[in-house]
Amino acid sequence: MTWTDLHHRTEIVRTVLARAAIDPNDPALFAGLPELDTLFGGIDGLLQALANRWDNHLRVKLELAEIDGRTPMEAYLELAAEQPALRGLLDARPAIGQTTRDRALAR
């Protein structure tokens, strides 16, 4: 992957999250993204990348919560408040969103 590809991937993620901030259930959420298939292998690949992003951020929040004596639920809710578009998008697609929530609460 080239730097140009990486920048295009980042732009796709930003575009989708900006759209999700308005309406995570919008059927046109992934429309007009010409390099989506090339750079992510389609919508499923982008959703997996977004789920991975959530998982990485959640993992850090959970580690910090443990150090600070907070519960996993508090860490989860803090991240959901910080990244409502990402959480909303994942919640709108339960197959991915549910697995990240389950892992958070299982800790």
Side-chain angles (χ1 to χ4, degrees):
M1 177 180 304
T2 67
W3 282 110
T4 301
D5 290 343
L6 179 62
H7 290 291
H8 287 151
R9 280 177 60 98
T10 301
E11 188 57 35
I12 289 171
V13 167
R14 287 183 183 155
T15 298
V16 169
L17 289 176
R19 292 175 182 177
I22 296 166
D23 180 4
N25 294 299
D26 184 355
L29 200 62
F30 304 105
L33 302 170
E35 296 183 85
L36 179 64
D37 289 338
T38 304
L39 296 174
F40 287 96
I43 293 171
D44 288 342
L46 173 57
L47 289 172
Q48 188 60 52
L50 291 168
N52 287 338
R53 179 182 187 150
W54 175 266
D55 287 345
N56 288 337
H57 292 185
L58 182 59
R59 206 172 357 266
V60 171
K61 288 287 187 187
L62 290 170
E63 289 174 9
L64 291 174
E66 187 174 356
I67 292 167
D68 294 340
R70 293 181 296 127
T71 67
M73 179 58 82
E74 290 171 318
Y76 174 87
L77 292 174
E78 180 181 13
L79 182 58
E82 290 172 0
Q83 299 190 37
L86 177 57
R87 187 68 257 155
L89 190 149
L90 295 175
D91 286 344
R93 283 133 187 95
I96 291 175
Q98 187 65 40
T99 59
T100 58
R101 185 181 311 117
D102 287 347
R103 279 185 256 158
L105 299 178
R107 283 186 122 186

